[in-house]
């Protein structure tokens, strides 16, 4: 079974994919320019600041001359990123020499922002208007609970349970690519879905945000407006309250969806309502690798394949069921084992051995997380062996041919099968031939012409 990977892109990948006209529209906003600058690789930031007050083109050769030989790969990555985001505008002269110039709109806005500063996208509400705001710990707990409940929808909907508490279009985006369904049948989790559940939390979030923005046009929204607002959110202060009346209709709808994901918390006062950004929202403009800080683990695996998960989360229990046999669950402890049967079931659903091992290592309990290795070697080796054992035999649909009228026809058929890429096996003595199933029709037409 081919391995299917889910690629979780960050915001700058989505920004880079926008048409030139949309990018220029984004760069009208000084905060977007700063957010884009913050996301760049260090060397790319250096080039931008170096050229910020240069109004003429700079040759590619002059930039390359500043780079040491062992840093050329980083130079190429920086230049490629600047070109993708249209921060650099490339030109080639008659001598075929390449030059770069800063995007005028990006350059002008960044100059003004650095010299004069700028007002925040919106000011926090006065404390005398808002009710008691949640503490950082309460806000973090809220974000975790919301996110886990949202993920649990994927598992429960695959089990036929009714979906509750989330907007229909958000769930539709969530399930797109992660669930598969046939007519008159309840949706089932796809290979993507099983793999998605084992991904790191930040990778899961980026995947959902990417799907949410990609589907904006289906809901009659401009993806550029959504990207602009989500990048603006990264400039808000975590834990502060911001007035809902300061939002446009598109932004209001987005904030309600983001509350389902745990990126913001909504509160209602006597007259006003407001939203409070969580850490997930304020990190949106940062790259995926920068936000992937190690989280508190909860799983202990012993050399006898016994598994102890110190968690009261229903989601954790359902995720562990994907590749392990859960025997019983106490209020704060899940007990089970990794077995050949449970792993075969995981492999059948498209989960790979490396994904399981990576999940166990990333979620190792603090008592074992510092050990090397955090998961016993005999366990990881056995997981790989069982996966290899399952993949030892490859099933290929094929067709068997015999009773050829002559040796010449048989050899011509073998040559033709090789030519079209369908040849699998031959027995020249008994004139038998096996070809791939997709080549059967071509082989039939060929043999009819021989007659």
């Amino acid at each position: 079974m081919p391995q299917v990977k889910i690629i979780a892109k960050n915001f700058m990948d989505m920004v880079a994919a926008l048409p030139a006209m949309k990018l220029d529209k984004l760069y009208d906003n000084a905060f977007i320019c700063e957010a884009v600058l913050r996301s760049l690789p260090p060397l790319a930031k250096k080039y931008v600041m170096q050229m910020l007050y240069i109004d003429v083109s700079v040759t590619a050769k002059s930039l390359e001359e500043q780079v040491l030989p062992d840093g050329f790969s980083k130079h190429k990555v920086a230049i490629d990123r600047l070109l993708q985001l249209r921060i650099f505008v490339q030109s080639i002269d008659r001598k075929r020499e390449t030059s770069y110039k800063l995007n005028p709109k990006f350059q002008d806005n960044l100059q003004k922002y650095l010299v004069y500063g700028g007002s925040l996208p919106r000011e926090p509400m006065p404390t005398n208007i808002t009710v008691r705001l949640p503490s950082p710990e309460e806000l973090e707990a809220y974000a975790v609970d919301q996110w886990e409940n949202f993920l649990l929808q994927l598992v429960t909907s695959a089990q036929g349970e009714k979906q509750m508490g989330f907007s229909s279009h958000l769930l539709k985006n969530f399930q797109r690519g992660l669930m598969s369904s046939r007519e008159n049948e309840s949706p089932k989790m796809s290979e993507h879905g099983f793999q998605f559940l084992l991904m790191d939390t930040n990778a899961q979030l980026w995947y959902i945000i990417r799907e949410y923005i990609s589907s904006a046009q289906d809901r009659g929204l401009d993806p550029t407006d959504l990207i602009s607002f989500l990048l603006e959110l990264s400039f808000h202060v975590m834990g502060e309250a911001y007035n809902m009346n300061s939002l446009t209709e598109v932004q209001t709808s987005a904030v309600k969806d983001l509350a389902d994901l745990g990126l913001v918390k909504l509160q209602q006062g006597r007259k006003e309502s407001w939203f409070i950004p969580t850490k997930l929202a304020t990190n949106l403009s940062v790259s995926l690798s920068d936000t992937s800080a190690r989280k508190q683990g909860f799983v202990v695996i012993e050399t006898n394949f016994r598994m102890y998960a110190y968690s009261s989360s229903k989601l954790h229990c359902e995720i562990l069921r994907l590749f392990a046999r859960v025997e019983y669950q106490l209020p704060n402890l899940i007990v089970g084992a990794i077995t050949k049967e449970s792993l075969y079931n995981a492999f059948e659903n498209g989960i790979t051995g490396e994904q399981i091992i990576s999940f166990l290592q990333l979620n190792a309990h603090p008592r074992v997380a510092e050990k090397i290795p955090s998961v016993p070697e005999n366990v990881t080796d056995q997981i790989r062996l069982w996966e290899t054992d399952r993949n030892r035999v490859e099933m290929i649909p094929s067709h068997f041919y015999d009773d050829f009228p002559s040796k010449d026809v048989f050899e011509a058929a073998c040559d033709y099968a090789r030519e079209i890429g369908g040849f699998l096996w031959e027995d020249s003595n008994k004139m038998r031939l096996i070809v791939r199933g997709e080549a059967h029709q071509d082989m039939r037409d060929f043999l009819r012409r021989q007659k």
Side-chain angles (χ1 to χ4, degrees):
M1 182 180 295
Q3 181 180 353
V4 182
K5 295 183 179 179
I6 297 178
I7 302 175
K9 296 183 178 181
N10 66 19
F11 261 126
M12 293 310 125
D13 293 313
M14 290 183 278
V15 171
L18 292 173
M21 188 180 298
K22 298 287 188 182
L23 269 174
D24 286 341
K25 179 183 175 183
L26 273 181
Y27 294 153
D28 279 333
N29 187 319
F31 286 102
I32 304 300
C33 295
E34 189 193 346
V36 171
L37 180 66
R38 290 195 314 187
S39 74
L40 294 174
L43 195 55
K45 290 178 185 176
K46 175 184 179 297
Y47 291 153
V48 171
M49 301 308 295
Q50 187 176 329
M51 296 173 59
L52 189 58
Y53 288 94
I54 298 177
D55 294 327
V56 296
S57 298
V58 175
T59 63
K61 186 176 180 181
S62 65
L63 289 178
E64 291 175 6
E65 288 173 350
Q66 304 175 32
V67 182
L68 296 173
D70 59 350
F72 190 76
S73 60
K74 292 181 180 179
H75 166 78
K76 189 176 185 305
V77 169
I79 295 296
D80 287 345
R81 196 58 166 168
L82 291 169
L83 290 173
Q84 289 169 2
L85 291 166
R86 274 184 56 79
I87 297 173
F88 270 11
V89 180
Q90 180 177 282
S91 60
I92 301 176
D93 60 18
R94 294 178 180 178
K95 297 180 181 179
R96 294 189 176 181
E97 288 188 358
T98 302
S99 298
Y100 305 118
K101 188 177 181 180
L102 276 182
N103 183 315
K105 188 171 289 188
F106 183 90
Q107 184 180 25
D108 183 54
N109 275 324
L110 198 57
Q111 284 177 357
K112 291 178 180 177
Y113 187 78
L114 292 178
V115 174
Y116 303 109
S119 59
L120 294 172
R122 52 187 57 83
E123 292 293 334
M125 296 179 67
T127 54
N128 62 335
I129 297 179
T130 59
V131 295
R132 189 186 74 84
L133 298 179
S135 66
E137 294 76 17
E138 291 171 335
L139 202 58
E140 179 71 16
Y142 161 82
V144 171
D145 288 343
Q146 284 295 109
W147 182 248
E148 286 199 357
N149 288 335
F150 188 68
L151 289 184
L152 203 53
Q153 295 294 309
L154 180 64
V155 179
T156 56
S157 59
Q159 296 171 350
E161 294 184 22
K162 189 176 180 180
Q163 300 164 353
M164 298 290 290
F166 295 96
S167 60
S168 58
H169 74 266
L170 193 60
L171 281 173
K172 184 178 180 181
N173 292 327
F174 177 65
Q175 293 171 347
R176 186 172 62 177
L178 304 179
M179 305 284 288
S180 61
S181 60
R182 296 180 180 178
E183 192 174 352
N184 300 325
E185 289 185 10
S186 58
K188 295 181 180 180
M189 206 178 300
S190 66
E191 289 184 11
H192 287 74
F194 285 112
Q195 294 175 15
F196 173 84
L197 287 176
L198 296 189
M199 288 166 62
D200 177 76
T201 300
N202 287 297
Q204 291 172 336
L205 176 61
W206 284 116
Y207 176 84
I208 292 300
I209 291 294
R210 186 193 68 181
E211 291 298 313
Y212 181 66
I213 293 174
S214 300
S215 65
Q217 287 183 325
D218 298 338
R219 307 193 305 274
L221 302 176
D222 187 346
T224 311
D225 292 337
L226 272 181
I227 291 175
S228 177
F229 174 61
L230 291 168
L231 284 174
E232 276 188 17
L233 267 182
S234 65
F235 290 93
H236 290 60
V237 180
M238 182 184 71
E240 293 283 356
Y242 296 89
N243 200 324
M244 293 285 287
N245 292 333
S246 65
L247 303 178
T248 65
E249 186 177 344
V250 171
Q251 293 171 347
T252 301
S253 175
V255 159
K256 291 177 181 177
D257 290 335
L258 296 178
D260 285 344
L261 295 172
L263 274 73
V264 298
K265 181 178 177 62
L266 303 181
Q267 282 190 338
Q268 177 70 49
R270 291 182 179 179
K271 296 181 179 179
E272 305 282 357
S273 58
W274 53 87
F275 66 94
I276 307 167
T278 69
K279 188 177 181 180
L280 292 175
T282 55
N283 278 339
L284 278 176
S285 66
V286 185
S287 69
L288 179 63
S289 58
D290 292 338
T291 59
S292 297
R294 182 173 180 85
K295 59 183 179 180
Q296 184 84 347
F298 61 96
V299 182
V300 175
I301 301 294
E302 296 185 337
T303 55
N304 60 359
F305 294 82
R306 297 291 295 171
M307 177 188 73
Y308 301 93
Y310 294 86
S311 173
S312 57
S313 167
K314 183 180 178 182
L315 176 65
H316 287 164
C317 184
E318 294 300 330
I319 290 176
L320 293 173
R321 288 186 197 276
L322 297 177
F323 59 86
R325 184 185 69 210
V326 174
E327 297 173 354
Y328 53 90
Q329 182 176 8
L330 300 176
N332 63 344
L333 177 65
I334 303 166
V335 180
I338 294 177
T339 66
K340 185 176 182 179
E341 291 73 21
S342 66
L343 286 174
Y344 270 37
N345 185 57
F347 300 149
E348 187 68 30
N349 287 321
I351 301 174
T352 67
E354 290 305 322
Q355 287 172 331
I356 295 170
I357 293 169
S358 176
F359 176 84
L360 293 174
Q361 291 170 341
L362 285 172
N363 292 279
H365 190 277
R367 288 288 182 91
V368 296
E370 303 305 322
K371 294 182 180 179
I372 301 178
S374 56
V375 180
E377 285 187 345
N378 71 305
V379 175
T380 57
D381 289 345
Q382 190 62 62
I383 290 173
R384 293 187 180 103
L385 282 172
W386 278 332
E387 183 178 30
T388 303
D389 186 54
R390 182 178 177 274
N391 296 330
R392 189 174 297 169
V393 177
E394 183 181 3
M395 304 294 289
I396 302 175
S398 56
H399 285 267
F400 175 75
Y401 300 86
D402 63 353
D403 292 333
F404 286 90
S406 68
K407 190 76 170 179
D408 291 340
V409 173
F410 169 73
E411 291 177 351
C414 292
D415 292 339
Y416 181 73
R418 290 188 178 92
E419 182 182 327
I420 63 175
F423 180 86
L424 287 175
W425 175 85
E426 68 169 308
D427 182 344
S428 56
N429 293 327
K430 296 182 179 180
M431 292 194 296
R432 294 174 177 174
L433 173 65
I434 297 177
V435 301
R436 293 180 180 274
E438 61 266 24
H440 176 56
Q441 188 60 47
D442 291 335
M443 285 298 300
R444 286 181 61 185
D445 295 341
F446 174 80
L447 292 172
R448 285 170 180 167
R449 291 196 298 271
Q450 298 304 306
K451 291 180 180 179

